[in-house]
Amino acid sequence: MRPSAGGRPHYAWFILAGCCILQGASLGLIHNCAGVFYSPVCEELGFEIGKFTLYRTLYAISSALALPFVAKSFRKRDVRFVIGIASLVYGISTMAMGAFSELWQWYVTGLIQGAASAFLCMLPAPLLLGNWFYKKTGTAVGISAAFSGLVGMLGSSGLGFLIPTLGWRAAYQIVGAVSIGFILPTAVLILRYRPEEKGLRAYGEMEEKETQNSAGTKALGESSESFGTAACSGEENVRRVQGLSDFARQPVFYLCLAAFACSMISSCLNLFLTSLGLAAGLSMVAAAALTSFSLLGNMSSKLVLGKFSDSFGIMKALLLSTAVSVAGHLFLLAGVRSGMAAGAFLYGVTLPLSSVMLPLFCRLFWKGDNYGTAYSYVSMFGTLLASPFNMLFGRFYDWTGSYQVTVGASLVTLVLMLACVGLAQKQEKS
């Protein structure tokens, strides 16, 4: 198999472009912008925020239960077919919300939409890019994930104008149709699961192996920090795809799972930023802009953190991103209108923790197909643990009339996430 086709760009870069579109039109446009609809829908239909956001809890549970099937379906089925069908379900279910008037309709659709999201939003891009990029994996994952922030930023700003003009019903339908229009042709025309499907090797694989053979350097997947036997054990197990029973005997599995759950809990706050702004007395346009500022921070940090991880190590990147996110929480806790935009921007660095940093962190402990299987279980159980907070964050407001408790709970989970990451690193070194 050849490294690339003649003098043309390696096909891995087309896969990266496809993953950018995939994450932008699913995670960015629909998932990240869902919170912009909360207040308009609840005000018109008379729902409580806590009861309405239960549909996001059901969405998260459904998504989590479907995650273990993602890696398996990609190995056994053509990713073009799997992602294409998922994009239709995801987009059509979003369009259908524009016709709803009862809570149970959102609840049922949340279950359907959540299952489809598992094949689009979080796991597919890291899996595909991990297969296609032997080097610069962190940079590639960061770039693709940044598009969810870019599209989410533009989408939330656009919805801030679109909803008052056309209404939330028309906005739901437009968002769903646009998502399908981008993802479906991308899946069919561009995406492939492995380089072997096109007779290629992963980007940088041949030159890196030549360097290793001549200089005796470490495998690229390792961080610049030493992680004991992590790489060695990964290489030994790469020949056999491990199952849940294997991972259940590894303490690091539980620590990664807990860290992922904490990052997901903290990321739930993003969906309440528009409502938080409205509660603070901002206009609909200004409140929706908070989500845009958050997603701007999300996008820009993903571009930086992927490269930073490749250059300085994953642990340093995790510490940096967590520190910035904590600062954003403190601005939001202060509740000063003039500082809310800055707080939302800095808080946006929270979102790459689950979509960029923890996927890269887990690669330190599992390699090859074992990574896809292990990370799917980490994502599944972590998302299940975090799923009640989609509703609880709304309930906190219903109970207290303030988002202070919500922001504080998000901050606490960040600290717990960092503790789990540190313990995982220590566990693997011992």
Side-chain angles (χ1 to χ4, degrees):
M1 284 178 283
R2 62 192 190 279
S4 60
R8 292 179 295 174
H10 195 288
Y11 196 78
W13 298 109
F14 292 96
I15 295 295
L16 174 56
C19 288
C20 289
I21 296 171
L22 173 63
Q23 290 212 297
S26 61
L27 185 59
L29 185 59
I30 294 181
H31 181 89
N32 286 345
C33 293
V36 180
F37 290 92
Y38 286 179
S39 291
V41 171
C42 290
E43 286 177 7
E44 180 173 323
L45 299 181
F47 301 149
E48 293 181 4
I49 288 284
K51 290 183 179 179
F52 180 69
T53 53
L54 176 59
Y55 101 84
R56 295 296 299 183
T57 297
L58 298 174
Y59 172 107
I61 292 172
S62 177
S63 177
L65 294 176
L67 281 170
F69 299 98
V70 176
K72 185 182 296 184
S73 66
F74 282 4
R75 290 197 299 267
K76 294 184 177 181
R77 301 280 189 272
D78 192 325
V79 295
R80 292 173 290 181
F81 173 78
V82 175
I83 293 178
I85 293 298
S87 72
L88 288 172
V89 174
Y90 201 56
I92 291 172
S93 62
T94 302
M95 295 173 68
M97 290 180 180
F100 292 170
S101 57
E102 302 290 338
L103 277 174
W104 68 265
Q105 295 172 315
W106 268 278
Y107 295 165
V108 172
T109 304
L111 291 169
I112 298 171
Q113 192 180 58
S117 74
F119 296 87
L120 300 172
C121 292
M122 297 293 291
L123 196 56
L127 285 179
L128 268 61
L129 294 172
N131 288 340
W132 277 91
F133 284 85
Y134 191 81
K135 67 176 185 178
K136 298 186 178 180
T137 308
T139 301
V141 172
I143 291 172
S144 72
F147 269 75
S148 67
L150 173 62
V151 175
M153 178 185 66
L154 297 175
S156 59
S157 296
L159 287 169
F161 289 98
L162 191 63
I163 291 175
T165 304
L166 300 179
W168 59 265
R169 294 186 182 277
Y172 265 132
Q173 293 166 352
I174 291 171
V175 165
V178 170
S179 177
I180 294 173
F182 276 99
I183 299 176
L184 186 58
T186 298
V188 173
L189 299 175
I190 298 177
L191 298 182
R192 302 292 188 277
Y193 185 51
R194 295 183 186 276
E196 291 81 358
E197 295 178 27
K198 294 196 63 81
L200 300 172
R201 289 188 181 275
Y203 174 77
E205 181 177 3
M206 293 304 295
E207 60 182 274
E208 184 66 23
K209 287 187 175 180
E210 289 171 2
T211 303
Q212 290 173 10
N213 291 335
S214 62
T217 57
K218 296 186 294 182
L220 181 66
E222 291 184 75
S223 166
S224 58
E225 296 99 312
S226 170
F227 278 83
T229 58
C232 179
S233 61
E235 290 166 0
E236 290 172 355
N237 291 326
V238 74
R239 300 187 190 94
R240 180 180 70 87
V241 179
Q242 299 178 33
L244 181 58
S245 60
D246 298 300
F247 302 127
R249 293 191 292 270
Q250 303 170 17
V252 71
F253 173 75
Y254 298 101
L255 291 168
C256 287
L257 187 161
F260 184 87
C262 289
S263 70
M264 289 295 291
I265 291 171
S266 191
S267 69
C268 291
L269 179 61
N270 186 67
L271 297 177
F272 292 88
L273 289 178
T274 298
S275 298
L276 189 155
L278 291 171
L282 299 178
S283 67
M284 180 63 195
V285 173
L290 292 182
T291 302
S292 297
F293 279 118
S294 168
L295 296 174
L296 176 61
N298 170 25
M299 176 193 67
S300 56
S301 62
K302 283 174 178 175
L303 292 171
V304 173
L305 290 173
K307 179 65 175 177
F308 191 94
S309 297
D310 287 338
S311 301
F312 300 103
I314 291 168
M315 283 303 299
K316 289 184 176 67
L318 265 169
L319 288 170
L320 174 64
S321 54
T322 305
V324 174
S325 179
V326 167
H329 280 78
L330 294 177
F331 271 105
L332 293 174
L333 273 175
V336 180
R337 292 186 190 180
S338 58
M340 293 187 74
F345 176 78
L346 296 175
Y347 163 79
V349 183
T350 306
L351 305 179
L353 293 175
S354 59
S355 60
V356 177
M357 297 314 307
L358 286 171
L360 292 175
F361 182 71
C362 288
R363 281 193 177 276
L364 299 174
F365 310 110
W366 300 287
K367 311 296 178 184
D369 285 337
N370 285 332
Y371 166 76
T373 306
Y375 188 65
S376 67
Y377 282 118
V378 166
S379 302
M380 180 189 77
F381 291 117
T383 304
L384 283 174
L385 288 172
S387 60
F389 287 85
N390 286 289
M391 176 186 66
L392 284 175
F393 277 10
R395 280 295 189 184
F396 291 157
Y397 175 78
D398 292 335
W399 294 333
T400 66
S402 169
Y403 281 103
Q404 294 291 305
V405 176
T406 298
V407 178
S410 177
L411 178 58
V412 169
T413 59
L414 272 183
V415 177
L416 293 175
M417 182 212 72
L418 199 57
C420 291
V421 167
L423 287 173
Q425 180 188 16
K426 183 177 180 181
Q427 173 70 34
E428 201 62 23
K429 282 183 175 180
S430 62

